[in-house]
Amino acid sequence: MKKLLATFLALILTIQIFSTHATAAGDPPPVIAEWETFWNTYDLDQMGSLFMNNDALTYFSSEREGLIRGYDAMMEHQKGFGFVAGGKKSDAKLWLEDIETDYVGDVAIVTAIWFFDVVRDGKKVIMKGPVSFICSKDTAGKFKMQHVNFSNY
């Protein structure tokens, strides 16, 4: 009986701890809208305000296999998509729908469906798939992306 009571109390305490630090779904941190602008302007100069500049930054692309790790590798990946300093004009457009956000302490967990309209072989194509972002606060208290995971439908 003591063991059952101890297990029950441990479960109640665990639930209390997690519910104290987690908040209900809310609006995504501003970095998500800033990231959409980044994709639509192809401006590499925005990288530092969007992504944590550390070796723990991780990114799974829907366009290539394997884990991209670290800020420098992420920069090279973006250059491969045509991103340049100062940005450039593009007819392609990326946007997010069905955005859901949960906060756990100072971490924002954001999920969405990404859409990307692009012209391929002279034909307009709309690509889409799920994406998740894990954003944490930098030393100045601004949310930045620490992990991104793209997939295709």
Side-chain angles (χ1 to χ4, degrees), residues 5-102:
L5 182 59
T7 302
F8 177 73
L9 288 174
L11 176 63
I12 295 299
L13 285 172
T14 301
I15 291 170
Q16 180 61 32
I17 288 168
F18 282 106
S19 63
T20 300
H21 296 290
T23 61
D27 292 330
V31 69
I32 300 300
E34 294 165 5
W35 175 84
E36 285 181 86
T37 299
F38 168 70
W39 257 98
N40 290 309
T41 60
Y42 288 82
D43 187 359
L44 272 182
D45 294 337
Q46 295 177 29
M47 282 271 306
S49 67
L50 300 174
F51 296 96
M52 289 293 200
N53 189 347
N54 59 39
D55 291 335
L57 171 64
T58 53
Y59 188 96
F60 282 110
S61 173
S62 61
E63 300 298 315
R64 75 172 253 216
E65 289 185 29
L67 178 66
I68 299 164
R69 178 176 287 281
Y71 186 85
D72 293 337
M74 182 64 180
M75 178 74 77
E76 291 306 310
H77 179 70
Q78 296 304 112
K79 286 178 183 178
F81 282 112
F83 284 71
V84 294
K88 69 177 187 179
K89 173 103 172 83
S90 174
D91 292 329
K93 179 164 174 40
L94 179 134
W95 70 97
L96 299 175
E97 293 183 7
D98 301 327
I99 300 171
E100 294 187 21
T101 306
D102 289 293

Side-chain angles (χ1 to χ4, degrees), residues 126-145:
I126 297 181
M127 302 164 53
K128 69 178 184 176
V131 61
S132 56
F133 305 91
I134 298 175
C135 307
S136 57
K137 291 184 178 180
D138 66 7
T139 55
K142 181 189 186 307
F143 275 108
K144 291 186 178 181
M145 295 178 185

